[in-house]
Amino acid sequence: MAAPMELRCWAGGWGLPSVHPQSLTVMAYAKFSGAPLTVNTISSSWKAPKGDIPVLISEDSVVSQPAKILNFLRKRKYNADYELSAKQGADTLAYIALLEEKLLPALLHTFWIEAENYCSVTKPWFASRIAFPLSLYLPGKMSREALNRILLTKGGPPLYSLTEVEAQVYRDAKECLNLLSKRLGTSQFFFGDTPTTLDAFVFGFLAPVYKVCFPRVQLQEHLKQLPNLCRFCDDILTCYFRLSVSGHSPAGQDTADANLQKLTQLVNKESNLIEKMDDNLRKSPQHPPRKLTTLKLAAGGEETSALDRLSP
Amino acid sequence: ISPLSTAAEPWPENAVLYQQLKDEQILLSDNASSLAVQAFLQMCNLPIQVVCRANAEYMSPSGKLPFIHVGNQVVSELGPIVQFVKAKGHSLSDGLDEVQKAEMKAYMELVNNMLLTAELYLQWCDDVTVEEITHPRYGSPYPWPLNRILSYQKQWEVRRKMKAIGWAGKTLEQVLEDVDQCCQALSQRLGTQPYFFNKQPTELDALVFGHLFTILTTQLITDELSEKVKNYSNLTAFCRRIEQQYFEGHDKDSSTIADRCAKRSLLR
């Protein structure tokens, strides 16, 4: 294939390759479809064209927004939905709409609007990954955009105060999680045994809720009561991102493996040495005194002859 | 309004649905929502009378249309109306299992997310349509300058919402492509069945009918939107079937799809 494509997105943490839902969706889809992507995490956000994250940069085009990026990858023959029937493709679109309408507002709220979460976790994390002085401005802007979006889409009358809107948003999100859990049932992925676009989107939205440690976590607690969704996230993390559930990065895992190998080799060497010593001990004479006298006599004989030779 | 009190009273004979003035004022998206609610109530066999008022939007408890006035309660929008009707003991989706209910909700979100937003975009963000159709219609009951002020205010509000959800940057072609994608998904889900969940209609059928019928029969600047729907023959057949079953003979001045296309009546 042509030069590998570059994905610019937010970095990861808490065991996830990325903390941002849309970035995570694109990364998951790339893993599922086998697209070769080099992932560049953001260290200063003003380099990203148009400010939309995630962004896919191919040799001749720049694509933003997950839906468009996925379309672009599909046109390049990296298609994870190859085996889906037409009806399943339609179901995919419907469930993605459900996620965006019902789950995304609650996700935005947990990350950007809930005051304790925002001040203690989200803002420091994002600010540390953006260059100064943009780090003073950008997290605040993202928070304001999130609030705006929630108020404009969910906040009309008869819900007049922010607390009422929040209550409705979380109710919708919990219902959405219940629906997803019922739809997933006991199967490994949403459409059988191979992951598809829908799995990428669900994973992208659920994993941040599941893994990121916030002070106020009502959505996470609800998610943990749905074990099949938790298992779904863990499965994808372990199979496709080669991260252990406790969250070692791949580099750490490799060094751990290397260390383990060295230790094993060392132990093997030691055990070989011990075996050799054991062999020697067995082969060596069983009655040292007699051997010594014979040796002495021999040695004496040899010594005298040696001494004789040595004396001038 | 506790659920117990709503459940206690049966559906009265004088329930009323309010919408804007049919011939001069109502817009594409509101017409679609209103038709969806009417279809739903017809499917439940609940009698409802449609009354057109110029200030219907301001009478509504949530600012959105349509709303129904039943007994001493006022409920607006399809979602809450479905729940209200369910509390009274009528439901179309009782026969569905859990997975099907999840699917139904997902498809209803798809229609709201794509079709309704596309209709709003076309009405309020496409400059030609705004100038020629929306502004004159929206403010038609009011004298100048109130009509212009109200329609600019509404346009500003809708454009803010579009910007918040990321649709402001879309071009008309992209919006039409989204509509096409949505119709394709609906068409594939419907297949050759009479309704979306085989034999019985549900609120999803009512919602889809409301939107598609309105798109097919509304005359806009161009026919591109209705052409997208017409590409899928099973969707047009679906609309015709529901119209024949639930609307013919009930409402004397609603014309059928064939009549409207033949007359090419303008909603101006």
Side-chain angles (χ1 to χ4, degrees):
Chain A
M1 223 41 216
M5 300 170 272
E6 183 197 338
L7 180 73
R8 307 208 73 230
C9 60
W10 291 109
W14 293 279
L16 297 173
S18 173
V19 163
H20 187 228
Q22 281 84 0
S23 310
L24 202 53
T25 304
V26 175
M27 281 168 148
Y29 184 82
K31 293 277 181 195
F32 296 160
S33 61
L37 278 188
T38 47
V39 175
N40 283 339
T41 56
I42 305 252
S43 58
S44 69
S45 188
W46 57 45
K47 282 183 192 158
K50 295 178 197 167
D52 254 349
I53 315 289
V55 169
L56 184 72
I57 303 169
S58 176
E59 61 268 1
D60 51 352
S61 48
V62 172
V63 191
S64 60
Q65 288 180 13
K68 288 187 196 163
I69 296 180
L70 260 54
N71 268 343
F72 182 80
L73 287 175
R74 274 188 216 113
K75 282 184 193 146
R76 296 286 179 97
K77 312 276 190 236
Y78 295 112
N79 193 355
D81 297 340
Y82 199 62
E83 293 171 3
L84 290 185
S85 69
K87 182 181 169 307
Q88 287 172 327
D91 282 351
T92 303
L93 268 185
Y95 278 103
I96 292 174
L98 185 71
L99 283 175
E100 281 181 1
E101 270 298 304
K102 300 278 180 189
L103 191 56
L104 183 60
L107 195 74
L108 288 176
H109 186 273
T110 308
F111 268 73
W112 294 101
I113 298 170
E114 178 68 57
E116 248 185 78
N117 294 348
Y118 175 62
C119 293
S120 58
V121 177
T122 318
K123 190 166 158 191
W125 192 92
F126 276 90
S128 66
R129 279 162 184 72
I130 305 172
F132 183 86
L134 205 59
S135 60
L136 297 176
Y137 168 68
L138 203 61
K141 175 167 171 262
M142 290 167 84
S143 172
R144 278 193 297 279
E145 275 174 5
L147 182 63
N148 207 18
R149 183 181 174 141
I150 291 185
L151 283 181
L152 283 179
T153 51
K154 302 275 168 187
L159 304 169
Y160 287 104
S161 69
L162 186 58
T163 41
E164 285 174 14
V165 178
E166 285 169 11
Q168 177 66 30
V169 159
Y170 278 106
R171 263 203 299 274
D172 282 344
K174 286 173 187 169
E175 197 198 318
C176 178
L177 288 177
N178 291 343
L179 290 176
L180 285 175
S181 179
K182 284 185 194 127
R183 176 62 184 78
L184 182 61
T186 50
S187 53
Q188 195 185 7
F189 296 111
F190 277 91
F191 293 117
D193 294 328
T194 47
T196 57
T197 307
L198 181 59
D199 301 289
F201 270 91
V202 174
F203 174 71
F205 281 90
L206 285 187
V209 175
Y210 182 39
K211 290 285 184 183
V212 179
C213 303
F214 283 118
R216 295 283 188 90
V217 280
Q218 51 167 319
L219 204 56
Q220 193 182 68
E221 279 158 21
H222 189 89
L223 181 58
K224 286 189 176 155
Q225 292 169 16
L226 300 166
N228 60 348
L229 291 179
C230 299
R231 194 237 333 133
F232 171 79
C233 290
D234 287 332
D235 276 350
I236 292 188
L237 279 172
T238 46
C239 296
Y240 289 94
F241 290 100
R242 267 177 230 102
L243 297 171
S244 66
V245 177
S246 58
H248 293 296
S249 64
Q253 189 71 10
D254 284 343
T255 49
D257 283 339
N259 287 341
L260 196 63
Q261 268 187 332
K262 282 183 193 160
L263 200 63
T264 323
Q265 283 172 353
L266 215 58
V267 167
N268 284 341
K269 274 187 199 160
E270 289 288 332
S271 67
N272 285 343
L273 278 170
I274 291 172
E275 275 182 29
K276 277 185 192 161
M277 282 169 63
D278 209 27
D279 279 340
N280 287 341
L281 216 56
R282 281 202 203 104
K283 283 174 200 165
S284 60
Q286 290 296 327
H287 302 287
R290 271 184 262 146
K291 277 210 176 175
L292 275 172
T293 48
T294 49
L295 275 171
K296 264 187 187 170
L297 283 169
E302 283 172 19
E303 270 176 24
T304 48
S305 59
L307 281 168
D308 285 342
R309 278 182 239 132
L310 282 171
S311 61
Chain B
I1 306 171
S2 66
L4 284 174
S5 67
T6 58
E9 302 163 8
W11 190 268
E13 284 299 318
N14 60 348
V16 184
L17 180 142
Y18 288 94
Q19 64 174 38
Q20 292 130 321
L21 302 174
K22 200 165 181 182
D23 294 322
E24 304 101 35
Q25 189 190 19
I26 199 165
L27 293 172
L28 181 62
S29 53
D30 294 326
N31 203 6
S33 309
S34 174
L35 198 56
V37 171
Q38 288 175 46
F40 174 71
L41 291 171
Q42 293 284 7
M43 288 171 184
C44 292
N45 248 334
L46 296 171
I48 190 100
Q49 195 193 357
V50 177
V51 169
C52 298
R53 287 287 150 80
N55 59 341
E57 200 178 353
Y58 303 105
M59 286 201 275
S60 161
S62 73
K64 301 215 177 79
L65 291 167
F67 68 94
I68 58 173
H69 179 206
V70 177
N72 60 350
Q73 273 134 33
V74 182
V75 189
S76 65
E77 292 186 83
L78 183 64
I81 291 177
V82 168
Q83 283 175 346
F84 177 76
V85 165
K86 192 166 175 179
K88 290 224 179 262
H90 307 268
S91 173
L92 293 177
S93 52
D94 274 344
L96 301 179
D97 64 32
E98 293 296 338
V99 174
Q100 285 177 317
K101 277 189 189 164
E103 252 187 62
M104 183 181 77
K105 293 212 167 97
Y107 275 97
M108 285 175 78
E109 285 307 325
L110 179 68
V111 172
N112 278 331
N113 207 355
M114 289 224 175
L115 279 185
L116 181 62
T117 318
E119 286 166 9
L120 283 173
Y121 180 93
L122 193 61
Q123 276 168 208
W124 293 105
C125 301
D126 177 43
D127 294 324
V128 180
T129 315
V130 165
E131 232 2 88
E132 304 226 356
I133 297 185
T134 314
H135 274 327
R137 285 185 73 86
Y138 186 75
S140 58
Y142 305 106
W144 192 90
L146 188 60
N147 55 359
R148 290 305 249 179
I149 295 174
L150 286 177
S151 55
Y152 274 118
Q153 191 182 40
K154 180 81 177 173
Q155 183 182 10
W156 182 77
E157 210 179 285
V158 171
R159 285 199 180 181
R160 258 181 87 199
K161 185 177 164 191
M162 291 288 151
K163 197 168 159 203
I165 59 175
W167 277 61
K170 291 198 184 189
T171 62
L172 189 58
E173 285 77 36
Q174 285 170 333
V175 169
L176 289 174
E177 221 180 275
D178 284 341
V179 169
D180 190 42
Q181 218 181 21
C182 180
C183 291
Q184 191 184 30
L186 289 172
S187 174
Q188 282 164 353
R189 176 68 181 81
L190 183 61
T192 50
Q193 297 168 326
Y195 301 109
F196 277 93
F197 290 97
N198 209 6
K199 297 281 188 318
Q200 296 300 321
T202 56
E203 45 265 35
L204 174 62
D205 300 281
L207 184 65
V208 173
F209 169 72
H211 281 276
L212 292 183
F213 186 85
T214 315
I215 291 177
L216 285 170
T217 55
T218 306
Q219 182 83 358
L220 294 169
I221 302 287
T222 60
D223 276 334
E224 285 172 347
L225 192 59
S226 58
E227 287 302 320
K228 293 284 176 196
V229 177
K230 280 183 198 158
N231 279 337
Y232 300 97
S233 56
N234 62 346
L235 292 180
T236 45
F238 169 77
C239 290
R240 206 165 283 130
R241 196 183 315 124
I242 292 198
E243 187 199 4
Q244 280 168 354
Q245 198 161 1
Y246 293 101
F247 283 93
E248 252 162 36
H250 290 275
D251 196 7
K252 290 192 187 97
D253 48 23
S254 73
S255 39
T256 61
I257 297 178
D259 283 347
R260 292 239 189 144
C261 288
K263 286 183 205 166
R264 294 184 70 75
S265 65
L266 300 171
L267 276 185
R268 296 187 185 221

